[in-house]
Amino acid sequence: MNDFAPLTTANISRMKMSRNNIVYISYGTFERLKHVKQLDLDNNNLKDLTLDAFLGMDSLEYLNLNISNIVRIRGFRSNTTLRVPPLFAGKSILEFNPDKACGPNLTVYITASTLVLSCIIGSVLAWRNRWWLNYKCFHLRLLIIGYYEMEDAREHQDYRYDLNIIFPDEDEGWVLEEFMLAVQEHLPDFPRNRIVCGDDDLPLGSTRFDAIDRVIENSFKNLVIVSNASVDDANYLMMLQMAVAHMNDVQLENVVMVFREDIPDNQLPYLVRLFLSKNKPYFQWSEERYQEMLFWERLAKTLTRNKKINGVLPL
């Protein structure tokens, strides 16, 4: 069936004309069906519908056009409910206002809301577990990339001392009672008798200045603790300068900084700022679980190898 002559049947409230291969409805086809409230044109081949085809259907409340290959819908009243294919079979719908003729697409709203909510929850969880994620990413990066830096062939066993720890006098209690215990736990290859930590570990038989200089030159790594107490400690600053001068001489990245606490940039000693500006290794101490695990993982990697450098720090 390709067309309709005007229908004359009156007093009909519901008409079902689905699956009739209807391709066109001419002007005034339903003009005498004033009492029809529901009209079903499902499963036809209609492409272009206008208000003229339904002239006179003043009572029409529901029109089913599902699976009808609709391309264009024009001229319907806003109080007429249209049932059309969800995506109109992939076709372009011209001159059709969904806000007036159809209800809201709940699927789109629900999906969009779920995605936004998932992003917010994911961001919050990522922030709260950032150190755990950072810790796992560090191991993944080691697994994929590894280390390809130019390194000194000598290992820490080739030196007189594995580690020399430089710290301000005010931090001596924390270094000996907390930091050194953690060093021995996380760095089992660095025995205590090969670590110089404070004046009591300096070699005998020379002045303090000469003993410090000898330890710095014969240590695989010089680890510098930076805290607020280090800003005005002249003895500490002298040892730091000696360690940096030695690093310049041997052209090895054998000085590592550990920040015990946050220090305003304008209060950092000159050598510390210079050290950081040259992208030299430094770490931030933390007692938060995963951040502490990451701290020791990274520090252990740095303390077991000496990277070669091709520049010096101006003293």
Side-chain angles (χ1 to χ4, degrees):
M1 179 184 298
N2 295 328
D3 200 348
F4 276 119
L7 297 177
T8 57
T9 305
N11 298 324
I12 298 176
S13 62
R14 182 167 182 254
M15 290 189 65
K16 184 173 183 180
M17 305 175 66
S18 59
R19 297 179 177 83
N20 283 296
N21 198 29
I22 301 172
V23 298
Y24 178 70
I25 299 178
S26 60
Y27 174 87
T29 299
F30 302 103
E31 63 180 346
R32 297 185 182 181
L33 302 177
K34 300 181 181 298
H35 302 288
V36 172
K37 295 182 179 181
Q38 298 182 23
L39 178 59
D40 190 347
L41 294 173
D42 181 32
N43 259 309
N44 286 293
N45 289 315
L46 295 168
K47 297 182 180 298
D48 191 337
L49 286 180
T50 66
L51 179 63
D52 295 343
F54 302 89
L55 186 68
M57 300 186 72
D58 300 330
S59 300
L60 184 61
E61 297 177 355
Y62 176 83
L63 176 60
N64 183 3
L65 298 172
N66 195 33
I67 315 179
S68 295
N69 297 318
I70 299 296
V71 174
R72 181 162 53 189
I73 303 176
R74 297 178 293 175
F76 285 96
R77 300 187 312 275
S78 61
N79 62 351
T80 301
T81 300
L82 297 178
R83 184 179 177 220
V84 295
L87 297 177
F88 298 98
K91 301 298 183 65
S92 170
I93 304 302
L94 305 178
E95 299 179 32
F96 176 68
N97 190 338
D99 293 334
K100 294 182 178 180
C102 298
N105 192 332
L106 296 180
T107 302
V108 173
Y109 287 125
I110 293 174
T111 303
S113 300
T114 302
L115 288 175
V116 171
L117 185 60
S118 299
C119 289
I120 294 174
I121 294 176
S123 299
V124 172
L125 291 176
W127 172 255
R128 295 190 62 180
N129 297 280
R130 63 191 183 280
W131 292 114
W132 179 86
L133 293 172
N134 203 357
Y135 176 71
K136 296 299 183 182
C137 289
F138 172 72
H139 281 278
L140 181 62
R141 186 167 62 251
L142 287 181
L143 178 64
I144 297 175
I145 301 176
Y147 279 85
Y148 299 101
E149 300 169 336
M150 293 182 62
E151 299 171 358
D152 183 30
R154 291 171 295 177
E155 298 182 357
H156 63 95
Q157 297 93 339
D158 299 325
Y159 287 76
R160 173 66 182 85
Y161 305 104
D162 291 332
L163 191 62
N164 173 38
I165 302 178
I166 299 172
F167 53 87
D169 291 339
E170 291 186 22
D171 290 339
E172 183 175 8
W174 174 80
V175 172
L176 295 176
E177 297 172 9
E178 185 171 347
F179 187 75
M180 272 302 302
L181 292 178
V183 168
Q184 292 178 275
E185 177 185 352
H186 294 281
L187 299 170
D189 293 336
F190 285 18
R192 181 64 182 88
N193 62 346
R194 289 177 54 85
I195 298 176
V196 177
C197 184
D199 290 347
D200 291 341
D201 293 334
L202 292 176
L204 302 176
S206 61
T207 64
R208 182 174 183 274
F209 180 86
D210 290 337
I212 292 173
D213 186 59
R214 191 190 313 170
V215 168
I216 290 175
E217 291 182 356
N218 290 279
S219 294
F220 181 72
K221 285 286 187 179
N222 291 288
L223 192 150
V224 181
I225 304 294
V226 184
S227 67
N228 285 299
S230 64
V231 176
D232 300 318
D233 191 322
N235 183 58
Y236 165 87
L237 295 176
M238 179 197 69
M239 291 188 291
L240 173 59
Q241 185 174 12
M242 294 169 62
V244 172
H246 177 66
M247 181 182 70
N248 286 340
D249 291 340
V250 298
Q251 295 286 286
L252 293 175
E253 205 168 68
N254 61 358
V255 176
V256 179
M257 287 189 178
V258 171
F259 283 78
R260 181 186 175 188
E261 53 201 355
D262 291 330
I263 306 175
D265 292 344
N266 59 353
Q267 295 183 21
L268 286 173
Y270 164 75
L271 271 182
V272 175
R273 294 200 307 270
L274 185 61
F275 189 91
L276 298 178
S277 69
K278 298 297 183 179
N279 297 319
K280 301 305 180 185
Y282 72 94
F283 301 90
Q284 177 69 52
W285 172 264
S286 174
E287 295 182 354
E288 196 277 330
R289 181 187 175 191
Y290 283 109
Q291 187 176 358
E292 182 183 6
M293 292 171 60
L294 182 61
F295 168 85
W296 285 109
E297 288 278 351
R298 288 178 168 173
L299 184 60
K301 290 292 183 183
T302 302
L303 293 181
T304 55
R305 63 197 72 222
N306 273 331
K307 177 184 174 183
K308 294 182 179 180
I309 59 177
N310 56 4
V312 298
L313 272 68
L315 300 178

